[in-house]
Amino acid sequence: MAVETLLKTMPRYQPRKGEEYMSPRQKTHFRTILEKLKQELSQDIDRTVHTMQDEATIFADPNDRATQESDIALELRNRDRERKLIKKIDETIGKIDADEYGYCESCGIEIGLERLEARPTASLCIDCKTLEELREKQVAK
């Protein structure tokens, strides 16, 4: 996935000794990451639309048609997930602007730089996220 590749290529944030959590420098770093992610996702969506328009072929063979429709459905599902991620990125940038970024929505503690490096749109600390996943798992059974 393009998002994971982009996150791996971005330089990791190196906090200065005694630096306050979510300092302006840290917020700038994460804003840059989020904006690059959004730009990359938008470009992927545009490429997909153009590719689908260019490759729109009507196959006589039902099997070829079914394969094409399956491929298109998969692409559309992926693009829908990316569209939702873009929305979440926009919300996260809004949190940076409101000085709410980097703190757990559930308990209010610091999410942590390493978790934010791995998932810049994280809104829960690792403990609250683990509890949420356990609840989801129990409900699904």
Side-chain angles (χ1 to χ4, degrees):
M1 181 178 223
V3 172
E4 293 160 348
T5 305
L6 183 63
L7 287 176
K8 288 178 184 176
T9 61
M10 294 291 298
R12 298 192 56 85
Y13 185 81
Q14 298 298 322
R16 295 178 179 153
K17 188 175 181 178
E19 183 177 7
E20 183 180 316
Y21 183 71
M22 278 304 124
S23 67
R25 189 170 156 251
Q26 291 175 8
K27 290 177 187 176
T28 301
H29 171 77
F30 287 110
R31 177 187 291 279
T32 302
I33 289 174
L34 290 164
E35 288 172 349
K36 286 185 179 180
L37 280 173
K38 183 179 174 181
Q39 180 183 10
E40 183 71 28
L41 290 168
S42 296
Q43 289 173 351
D44 281 352
I45 290 170
D46 290 343
R47 272 194 296 270
T48 300
V49 169
H50 292 300
T51 302
M52 289 173 74
Q53 289 171 343
D54 293 343
E55 294 179 358
T57 306
I58 299 174
F59 292 103
D61 182 35
N63 291 327
D64 290 338
R65 223 180 4 245
T67 300
Q68 181 187 36
E69 289 174 10
S70 176
D71 290 347
I72 289 171
L74 180 64
E75 279 296 320
L76 291 174
R77 251 193 326 265
N78 287 338
R79 295 310 148 231
D80 187 52
R81 285 185 15 224
E82 289 176 350
R83 182 189 53 76
K84 289 176 184 174
L85 182 55
I86 288 173
K87 183 180 177 195
K88 188 165 185 172
I89 288 170
D90 287 336
E91 291 169 359
T92 304
I93 291 172
K95 286 181 183 180
I96 291 173
D97 293 338
D99 291 328
E100 298 172 0
Y101 182 69
Y103 297 93
C104 180
E105 288 180 350
S106 181
C107 67
I109 67 167
E110 297 174 358
I111 292 175
L113 294 178
E114 290 199 15
R115 175 154 166 70
L116 292 172
E117 287 284 350
R119 183 167 297 278
T121 58
S123 59
L124 298 173
C125 68
I126 195 70
D127 293 335
C128 290
K129 184 63 177 174
T130 302
L131 286 173
E132 181 183 89
E133 288 174 355
L134 286 172
R135 283 187 204 113
E136 288 174 1
K137 196 175 191 180
Q138 290 173 346
V139 171
K141 288 183 178 182

